[in-house]
């Protein structure tokens, strides 16, 4: 039985497994175990005494084989003598068949036995009388076996998202699995899960329509998905839901599937907040106040533990205010801490009594969310067995990681992370805005700093956060599967699994691009004035990037097979198109205002385009809700996302404000130029283009536009032969003329030319200033970042030298943030190095024609101060001067979490900035050195300036070193 390379790759595309080529190709029937061929399937043997969840997963595998081959496998509980081959599924200690195979030496389970959630998949010959071969899936425990089962499903081509995103299964006549032995587990993170949150109006509306509420029918789908993604932990929806009482079958179902249940960061002792709000009159005086209603709250807490005492749970302890808010103070921080210590001690007594064991044997967490962290920072301590659940800043930046001393705690530490937020500093609940490189960079910190007991992500409505949810959970299982260099490879493997090889590279690039652009600034936060219309063609360039990604997604949609279109729409096309549309709408609205102030008749077109895009936004949501997959996902695009002015989502979508003029019936025209918001001839000042620099060259432009309704007539001419004018015929209806310099003809040094725009109106003269380097200057500047005038900008990755010290070095994080790749220190746990001690450096050769002041502006990742009492420092110097040590958190009150001054600005921009000022005493060549002080800082871009820069979101575009 010859098996093609294409078929083998398709069968081996589980995301945690490297795709093999070359010598790994299957060339005969000796290379593979056949699960199904020619309508005949290998039966699945599973012991009746195994865990119900394992038996249920085996049935899923039987169905998955049928999805691929067209013929379901069938389940047997004992060898019946009719099977040439078997798939044997079993848990050590629960499967008599598996235990027998161990006893007779057919399988060696030393690497599996006693491990947490570990599995062995092995092919063996003649395992049992009358059976020629078997594919054996052995789990160390219940979930280990289940994960092994779903590993087979994914490898034969059944995506974990086959139901949740309508990913089709590719039919194959022969379904097989490579022979051999493979072990996976234990996972790097013990508890890996999601939090269904902020579930109104989308998830709540959808579940009500499709299931009658968030009941066991709904959670059946959630639990299966989690297990297919190798998750094991869930905080259930809680805005208007109570998991344990809304449907009495919910808790039993979770236990059967093998899902560890918990409750959110502000719902202690396995009780939903809704249970309190609806029944608080039954508990003492009904006050959520431990001082005023201790007995009532203790009764409430005890009931939560009692009803779950026989289930696998991870208990949240502690207490916040009534709902997701801070606890009212008792008068001082010290007394608040004493009260919380008392509350948690009482809770642990309940846990011990109801579970009839030492509380230290029951998994517990204390969530250090928002204000709760201050109690820990000021001395509150919990028993070592309680996991400290550190959190991000609500926008994906870790606030705190365990110190070396805290890593010795038996309960360890974990992370509560946000892909969705309803709260401060702003809400983002609509679409996927989470780039993989950012997630990787932050969760790699968590892993390396030992926060590996719990990883749980707020995924909002679950859809449309399929991609970051899976990436997060895959990292939690095995962080080593994705490195800083191969994040893009992961995305390509994902695209190959979901849509096949043919278009995987293009699909992965679209996904990477739309999430990257959303990471620059979330769609809810984009406003008409976000990107500059005056400088660097910034708004235009952003709009063109989105136009390109939308067009590429739409072309892919058109050529994909019909059965892949629904999945592609959900996972790729809709988020790309919808996100880009919001950006384009705001740019159009901003242009309507910008053009109106200049008197352009085209402001009307931009206003109309804004209205059209606003309608298209609603049409996209309507299609997703009502037409996509025959209305399967109705309500999941109900979230408002336009017009956010406070931290809350708007009540309804609000079109961004537009401006319009009333053009007269004339053929009057105006002239606008790059770098100036004004227009001529009505403006009194001179029209001067940004100075052209032969060492740092960029095009510029002049635009002539109609002010009235009639066609305009004019001529445009430069008075110097070295000024080259060319019309951009794609730029309409206003007419743009590119201005270039023929440097071979331009005079050396400073020169000036004039561009005259002539017609029936007064002439408009645009001044063109140039600076051309001498041959000596060109020779000296070669190999350097050079300019005859500042600013100069360049990407951090373009250092000429990257030095290391004791294996600590600056290294690339691919596709990070605003740049192609960013630079950060690895290992991320390296010790701090203060000058004058030698430290890893990024060295950039720069050339300036003059002496004087130079400001170095570092554009960084939006890091938080996750190491206590240290700050986040970096050293900057030119040549041999004493390095300046800059600390992002030199003013903690202004820079850190919940600071009114800057924190919300950095989170909105998804970047931080540092500035140092230097005095250069000699012109010419210099070396700019960026030295490590503390790890954890990500450097994206560097700008050198000697004056205040005009507003733009990204700053000056980067240049390369002169060749």
């Amino acid at each position: 039985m010859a098996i093609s390379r294409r078929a083998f790759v398709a069968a081996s595309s589980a995301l945690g497994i490297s795709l093999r080529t070359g010598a790994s190709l299957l060339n005969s029937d000796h290379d593979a175990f056949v699960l199904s061929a020619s309508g005949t399937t290998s039966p699945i043997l599973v012991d009746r005494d195994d865990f119900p969840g394992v038996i249920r997963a085996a049935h899923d595998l039987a169905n998955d084989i049928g999805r691929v081959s067209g013929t379901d496998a069938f389940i047997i509980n004992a060898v019946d003598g009719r099977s040439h081959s078997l798939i044997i599924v079993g848990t050590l200690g629960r499967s008599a068949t598996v235990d027998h195979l161990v006893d007779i030496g057919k399988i060696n389970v030393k690497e599996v036995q006693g491990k947490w959630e570990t599995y062995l998949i092995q092919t063996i010959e003649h395992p049992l009388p009358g059976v020629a071969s078997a594919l054996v899936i052995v789990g160390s425990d219940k979930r280990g076996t289940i994960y092994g089962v779903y590993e087979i499903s994914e490898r034969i081509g059944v995506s974990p998202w086959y139901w949740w995103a309508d990913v089709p299964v590719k039919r194959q006549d022969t379904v097989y699995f490579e022979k051999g032995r493979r072990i996976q587990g234990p996972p790097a993170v013990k508890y890996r899960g999601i939090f269904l949150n902020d579930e109104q109006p989308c998830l709540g509306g959808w579940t009500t329509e499709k299931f009658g509420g968030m009941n066991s029918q709904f959670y059946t789908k959630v639990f299966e998905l989690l297990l297919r993604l190798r998750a094991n932990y869930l905080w259930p929806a809680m805005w208007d839901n109570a998991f344990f009482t809304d449907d009495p079958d919910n808790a039993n179902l979770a236990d059967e599937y093998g899902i560890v249940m918990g409750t959110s960061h502000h719902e202690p002792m396995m009780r939903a907040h809704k249970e309190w709000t609806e029944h608080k009159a039954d508990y003492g005086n009904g006050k959520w106040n431990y001082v005023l209603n201790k007995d009532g709250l203790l009764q409430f807490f005890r009931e939560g533990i009692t009803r779950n005492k026989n289930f696998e749970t991870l208990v949240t302890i502690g207490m916040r205010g009534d709902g997701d808010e801070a606890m009212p103070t008792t008068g001082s921080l010290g007394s608040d801490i004493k009260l919380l210590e008392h509350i948690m001690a009482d809770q642990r007594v309940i846990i011990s009594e109801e579970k009839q064991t030492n509380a230290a044997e029951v998994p517990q967490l204390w969530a250090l969310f928002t204000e709760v962290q201050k109690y820990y920072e000021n001395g509150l301590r919990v028993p070592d067995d309680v996991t400290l659940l550190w959190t991000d800043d609500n926008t994906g930046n870790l606030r705190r990681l365990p110190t070396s001393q805290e890593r010795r705690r038996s309960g360890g530490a974990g992370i509560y992370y946000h892909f969705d937020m309803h709260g401060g500093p702003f809400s983002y609940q609509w679409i996927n805005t989470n780039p993989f490189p950012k997630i990787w960079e932050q969760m790699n910190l968590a892993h390396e700093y030992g926060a590996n007991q719990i990883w749980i992500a707020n995924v909002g409505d679950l859809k449309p956060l399929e991609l970051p949810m899976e990436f997060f959970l895959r990292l939690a299982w095995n962080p080593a599967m994705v490195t800083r260099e191969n994040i893009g490879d992961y995305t390509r493997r994902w695209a190959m699994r979901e849509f096949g090889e043919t278009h995987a590279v293009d699909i992965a690039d679209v996904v990477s691009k739309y999430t990257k652009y959303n990471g620059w600034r979330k769609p809810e936060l984009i406003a008409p004035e976000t990107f500059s219309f005056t400088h660097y063609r910034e708004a235009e360039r952003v709009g063109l990037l989105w136009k390109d990604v939308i067009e590429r997604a739409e072309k892919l949609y058109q050529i994909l097979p019909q059965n892949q279109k629904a999945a592609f729409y959900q996972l790729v096309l809709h988020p790309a198109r919808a996100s880009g549309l919001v950006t384009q709408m705001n740019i159009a609205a901003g242009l309507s205002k910008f053009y109106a102030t200049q008197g352009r008749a085209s402001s009307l077109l931009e206003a109309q385009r804004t209205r059209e895009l606003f309608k298209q936004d609603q049409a996209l949501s309507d299609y997703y809700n009502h037409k996509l997959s025959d209305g399967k996902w109705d309500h999941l695009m109900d979230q408002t996302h336009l017009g956010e002015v406070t931290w809350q989502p708007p009540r309804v979508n609000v079109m961004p404000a537009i401006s319009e003029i009333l053009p007269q019936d004339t053929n009057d025209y105006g002239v606008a130029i790059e770098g100036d918001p004004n227009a001529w001839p009505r403006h009194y000042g001179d029209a001067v283009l940004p100075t052209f620099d032969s060492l740092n060259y960029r095009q510029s432009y002049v635009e002539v536009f109609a002010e009235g309704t009639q066609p305009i007539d004019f001529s445009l001419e430069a008075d110097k032969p070295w000024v080259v004018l060319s019309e951009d015929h794609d730029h309409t209806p206003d007419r743009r003329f590119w201005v270039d310099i023929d440097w071979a003809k331009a005079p050396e040094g400073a020169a000036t030319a004039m561009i005259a725009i002539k017609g029936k109106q007064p002439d408009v003269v645009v001044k063109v200033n140039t600076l051309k380097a001498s041959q000596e200057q060109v020779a000296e500047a070669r190999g350097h970042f050079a300019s005859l005038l500042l600013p100069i900008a360049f990407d951090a990755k373009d250092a000429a030298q990257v030095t290391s010290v004791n294996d600590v070095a600056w290294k690339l994080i691919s596709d990070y943030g605003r740049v192609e790749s960013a630079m950060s220190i690895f290992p991320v746990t390296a010790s701090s190095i203060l000058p004058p001690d030698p430290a890893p450096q990024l060295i950039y050769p720069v050339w300036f024609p003059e002496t004087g002041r130079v400001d170095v502006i570092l554009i960084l990742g939006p890091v938080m101060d996750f190491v206590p009492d240290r700050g986040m420092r970096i050293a900057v110097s030119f040549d041999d001067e004493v390095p300046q040590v800059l600390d992002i958190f030199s003013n903690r009150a202004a820079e850190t979490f919940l600071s009114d001054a800057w924190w919300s600005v950095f989170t909105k921009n998804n970047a931080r900035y540092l500035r140092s000022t230097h005095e250069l005493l000699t012109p010419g060549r210099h070396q700019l050195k960026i030295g490590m002080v503390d790890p954890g800082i990500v450097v994206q871009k560097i700008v050198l300036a000697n004056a205040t820069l005009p507003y733009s979101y990204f700053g000056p575009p980067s240049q390369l070193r002169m060749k």
Side-chain angles (χ1 to χ4, degrees):
M1 179 188 66
I3 298 175
S4 71
R5 176 180 184 275
R6 179 182 294 273
F8 174 67
V9 171
S12 303
S13 58
L15 291 186
I17 306 299
S18 298
L19 298 178
R20 300 174 179 85
T21 58
S24 295
L25 304 188
L26 305 179
N27 297 310
S28 73
D29 57 1
H30 298 295
D31 294 323
F33 178 89
V34 179
L35 285 76
S36 181
S38 303
T40 301
T41 62
S42 296
I44 300 173
L45 173 62
V46 60
D47 199 294
R48 288 190 180 93
D49 292 329
D50 215 321
F51 293 99
V54 169
I55 297 171
R56 189 205 57 74
H59 281 274
D60 279 352
L61 177 59
N63 294 333
D64 288 345
I65 292 172
R67 289 185 175 101
V68 178
S69 70
T71 304
D72 288 3
F74 57 93
I75 303 293
I76 61 175
N77 304 119
V79 177
D80 57 12
R82 296 178 297 166
S83 302
H84 177 74
S85 62
L86 279 178
I87 303 166
I88 301 173
V89 174
T91 309
L92 290 173
R94 291 293 292 254
S95 169
T97 303
V98 166
D99 291 346
H100 172 68
L101 294 174
V102 174
D103 291 341
I104 64 175
K106 284 290 184 179
I107 53 175
N108 184 338
V109 295
K110 288 183 179 179
E111 298 171 90
V112 175
Q113 199 158 29
K115 301 288 182 65
W116 176 263
E117 297 180 349
T118 300
Y119 61 86
L120 160 70
I121 300 175
Q122 183 175 342
T123 51
I124 55 177
E125 304 301 319
H126 307 293
L128 299 167
V131 179
S133 62
L135 177 65
V136 185
I137 306 161
V138 180
S140 62
D141 53 22
K142 172 169 60 178
R143 282 187 294 274
T145 311
I146 292 170
Y147 295 145
V149 168
Y150 285 134
E151 174 74 10
I152 302 294
S153 291
E154 187 174 348
R155 280 180 170 242
I156 66 174
V158 179
S159 168
W161 300 96
Y162 78 94
W163 189 88
W164 276 97
D166 301 313
V167 177
V169 175
K170 183 178 179 180
R171 290 290 297 272
Q172 298 186 58
D173 293 334
T174 302
V175 184
Y176 57 89
F177 196 82
E178 183 187 15
K179 288 185 177 181
R181 173 184 171 91
R182 54 188 60 79
I183 294 172
Q184 289 207 38
V189 179
K190 187 171 186 179
Y191 296 104
R192 311 165 305 283
I194 63 170
F195 179 20
L196 298 175
N197 193 25
D198 311 331
E199 63 268 20
Q200 298 296 343
C202 298
L203 190 64
W206 177 69
T207 53
T208 298
E209 177 181 313
K210 303 302 181 182
F211 303 102
M214 293 190 186
N215 52 29
S216 55
Q217 294 180 60
F218 162 66
Y219 278 110
T220 295
K221 300 295 187 184
V222 175
F223 295 155
E224 181 190 332
L225 174 67
L226 290 177
L227 293 171
R228 285 181 183 267
L229 296 175
R230 298 184 189 171
N232 62 5
Y233 182 42
L234 177 69
W235 288 355
M238 45 66 62
W239 266 24
D240 190 34
N241 298 279
F243 177 84
F244 300 102
T245 59
D246 287 347
D247 184 339
D249 290 336
N250 281 345
N252 290 318
L253 190 74
D255 186 63
E256 176 186 324
Y257 271 75
I259 298 298
V260 181
M261 291 305 302
T263 47
S264 72
H265 57 88
H266 70 95
E267 297 177 298
M269 301 292 278
M270 305 303 296
R271 297 305 301 256
H273 185 247
K274 180 183 176 183
E275 295 181 75
W276 176 258
T277 58
E278 292 193 346
H279 304 287
K280 59 185 176 182
D282 299 335
Y283 300 98
N285 59 23
K287 295 182 181 297
W288 186 265
N289 187 308
Y290 208 75
V291 174
L292 302 178
N293 191 23
K294 176 179 177 178
D295 291 342
L297 287 167
L298 286 175
Q299 178 189 349
F300 183 72
F301 294 157
R302 186 174 294 273
E303 290 175 2
I305 301 300
T306 301
R307 72 184 176 198
N308 288 284
K309 63 183 179 182
N310 296 321
F311 298 143
E312 192 177 7
T313 57
L314 180 45
V315 181
T316 299
I317 64 171
M319 191 171 173
R320 294 185 71 216
D322 191 357
D324 194 0
E325 58 186 38
M327 186 173 69
T329 183
T330 57
S332 70
L333 182 60
S335 61
D336 292 343
I337 288 174
K338 289 182 179 179
L339 175 62
L340 270 172
E341 289 173 338
H342 182 56
I343 291 170
M344 288 189 279
D346 289 347
Q347 289 171 337
R348 284 172 63 84
V349 169
I350 291 172
I351 291 169
S352 179
E353 291 174 350
E354 295 304 317
K355 291 276 193 177
Q356 296 184 350
T357 186
N358 189 320
E361 301 300 315
V362 179
Q364 299 156 63
L365 68 85
W366 180 37
L368 296 134
F369 182 73
T370 311
E371 82 293 337
V372 179
Q373 185 172 323
K374 71 181 179 184
Y375 300 124
Y376 185 88
E377 291 171 343
N378 285 275
L380 195 162
R381 293 295 180 266
V382 292
D384 264 17
D385 61 273
V386 177
T387 302
L388 299 176
L389 189 67
W390 301 106
T391 70
D392 66 357
D393 65 346
N394 304 340
T395 67
N397 307 300
L398 299 180
R399 294 176 57 198
R400 178 74 146 74
L401 288 171
T403 64
S404 57
Q405 182 176 355
E406 290 163 348
R407 283 176 220 138
R408 293 194 286 268
R409 299 178 67 260
S410 61
I415 298 296
Y416 170 36
Y417 199 75
H418 286 80
F419 298 134
D420 166 284
M421 184 64 190
H422 179 88
F426 47 82
S427 294
Y428 54 103
Q429 301 169 234
W430 172 52
I431 209 85
N432 176 23
T433 61
N434 303 281
F436 289 166
K438 168 72 177 292
I439 301 169
W440 181 88
E441 183 263 332
Q442 287 292 290
M443 299 317 297
N444 179 63
L445 288 173
H447 172 60
E448 295 295 334
Y449 277 79
N452 286 331
Q453 188 73 0
I454 304 168
W455 284 11
I456 187 161
N458 186 329
V459 298
D461 301 306
L462 194 153
K463 292 181 71 68
L465 297 182
E466 301 98 335
L467 275 72
M469 173 180 160
E470 178 169 0
F471 185 70
F472 178 88
L473 294 173
R474 297 285 184 180
L475 284 179
W477 176 268
N478 179 17
M481 77 163 192
V482 181
T483 67
R484 57 184 178 79
E485 310 105 311
N486 73 355
I487 299 168
D489 290 339
Y490 169 91
T491 314
R492 285 186 286 277
R493 293 200 303 273
W494 169 87
M496 186 183 300
R497 185 193 71 190
E498 308 300 57
F499 303 106
E501 289 184 83
T502 305
H503 303 293
V505 171
D506 292 333
I507 291 170
D509 192 59
V510 168
V511 166
S512 298
K513 289 292 193 301
Y514 95 70
T515 52
K516 184 182 187 73
Y517 302 164
N518 277 344
W520 290 344
R521 194 173 183 90
K522 297 185 185 299
E524 294 91 337
L525 302 178
I526 291 178
E529 61 275 7
T530 298
F531 305 113
S532 175
F533 299 109
T534 306
H535 304 291
Y536 316 120
R537 297 173 49 228
E538 184 175 74
E540 179 182 338
R541 289 187 293 115
V542 170
L544 288 173
L545 288 172
W546 273 114
K547 179 175 182 288
D548 176 69
V549 80
I550 292 170
E551 288 178 348
R552 291 170 57 207
E554 289 173 341
K555 287 178 181 177
L556 285 164
Y557 182 75
Q558 293 303 318
I559 61 179
L560 285 173
Q562 186 62 38
N563 69 338
Q564 292 184 350
K565 288 185 184 294
F568 185 82
Y569 189 91
Q570 293 166 63
L571 299 172
V572 185
L573 178 59
H574 176 266
R577 183 190 277 164
S579 303
L581 187 148
V582 167
T583 303
Q584 292 173 332
M585 184 193 316
N586 278 280
I587 289 173
L591 279 174
S592 77
K593 181 177 180 180
F594 184 70
Y595 286 175
T597 61
Q598 294 180 330
R600 301 195 195 203
S602 55
S603 68
L604 293 172
L605 297 177
E606 297 299 336
Q608 181 58 31
R609 175 169 160 75
T610 305
R611 294 189 187 96
E612 291 171 357
L613 291 171
F614 185 62
K615 292 177 183 177
Q616 288 179 30
D617 173 84
Q618 185 61 52
L620 286 178
S621 296
D622 290 344
Y623 179 83
Y624 196 111
N625 284 339
H626 308 311
K627 301 292 185 181
L628 177 64
S629 301
D630 298 321
K632 179 179 178 179
W633 306 113
D634 192 17
H635 294 295
L636 283 173
M637 275 300 137
D638 284 353
Q639 181 61 56
T640 58
H641 51 276
L642 295 170
E644 187 170 304
V645 293
T646 69
W647 66 263
Q648 300 183 74
R651 291 178 61 85
V652 296
N653 283 326
V654 180
M655 190 182 79
I658 57 176
S659 295
E660 297 177 294
I661 66 170
L662 291 174
Q664 303 301 305
D665 185 24
T666 72
N667 62 353
D668 292 346
Y669 62 81
V671 176
I673 63 173
E674 182 184 12
D676 198 313
N678 299 295
W680 289 264
R682 303 187 192 280
H683 184 60
Y684 58 86
D686 293 336
V688 184
L689 286 171
T691 300
F692 290 85
D693 178 348
S694 68
L695 299 185
N696 185 14
Y697 177 68
R698 297 186 183 95
Q699 276 185 322
S700 194
Y701 63 84
V702 172
E703 290 181 350
V704 184
F705 56 84
E707 294 181 338
T709 59
Q710 298 180 21
I712 59 175
D713 184 36
F714 63 93
S715 65
L716 181 141
E717 185 178 10
D719 69 347
K720 298 292 192 298
W722 40 267
V723 176
V724 181
L725 302 175
S726 59
E727 185 166 2
D728 183 350
H729 295 287
D730 293 328
H731 189 84
T732 58
D734 300 335
R735 296 177 63 181
R736 173 178 290 179
F737 297 87
W738 292 112
V739 183
D740 286 287
I741 306 299
D742 184 344
W743 291 108
K745 297 178 180 178
E748 190 175 295
T752 300
M754 301 294 180
I755 300 172
I757 299 93
K758 298 180 179 180
K760 71 162 193 172
Q761 300 170 204
D763 293 353
V764 175
V765 176
V766 177
K767 185 181 293 186
V768 180
N769 292 323
T770 62
L771 286 174
K772 180 179 177 180
S774 66
Q775 292 183 0
E776 293 79 6
Q777 288 176 319
V778 170
E780 190 177 45
R782 189 165 287 120
H784 291 64
F785 297 101
S787 178
L788 294 168
L789 73 168
L790 297 179
I792 300 176
F794 42 87
D795 291 351
K797 70 176 178 60
D798 291 330
Q801 297 180 59
V802 181
T803 68
S804 63
V805 175
N806 297 326
D807 296 323
V808 177
W810 291 96
K811 295 182 179 180
L812 289 170
I813 302 176
S814 61
D815 203 26
Y816 181 95
R818 300 179 173 192
V819 291
E820 180 182 313
S821 296
M823 302 296 290
S824 193
I825 286 291
F826 291 88
V828 295
T829 53
S831 299
S832 300
I833 305 174
L834 278 164
D837 291 344
Q841 289 187 325
L842 298 168
I843 301 175
Y844 305 90
V846 294
W847 182 91
F848 308 110
E850 298 176 350
T851 61
R853 186 192 103 191
V854 175
D855 293 338
V856 178
I857 304 164
L858 303 180
I859 301 176
L860 312 172
V863 65
M864 296 296 293
D865 49 338
F866 61 82
V867 177
D869 305 320
R870 191 194 73 182
M872 282 288 167
R873 298 163 294 181
I874 196 167
V876 182
S877 61
F878 279 99
D879 305 321
D880 296 324
E881 70 177 354
V882 176
Q884 297 183 34
V885 176
L886 312 178
D887 188 352
I888 295 173
F889 298 99
S890 57
N891 182 356
R892 276 178 125 66
E895 302 286 357
T896 194
F897 184 62
L898 293 182
S899 61
D900 292 333
W902 293 109
W903 170 64
S904 64
V905 175
F906 293 138
T907 55
K908 289 176 181 177
N909 293 343
N910 211 11
R912 285 187 182 267
Y913 312 91
L914 279 177
R915 180 189 295 264
S916 60
T917 300
H918 308 259
E919 194 71 26
L920 298 184
L921 302 179
T922 59
R925 295 178 174 180
H926 297 275
Q927 284 191 327
L928 172 65
K929 300 175 182 178
I930 308 297
M932 169 209 168
V933 176
D934 300 313
I937 294 175
V938 182
V939 185
Q940 302 188 68
K941 183 174 174 177
I942 300 158
V943 180
L944 307 180
N946 58 3
T948 301
L949 296 175
Y951 171 77
S952 63
Y953 191 76
F954 296 107
S958 295
Q959 68 180 86
L960 298 175
R961 286 186 287 151
M962 283 191 60
K963 294 182 179 180

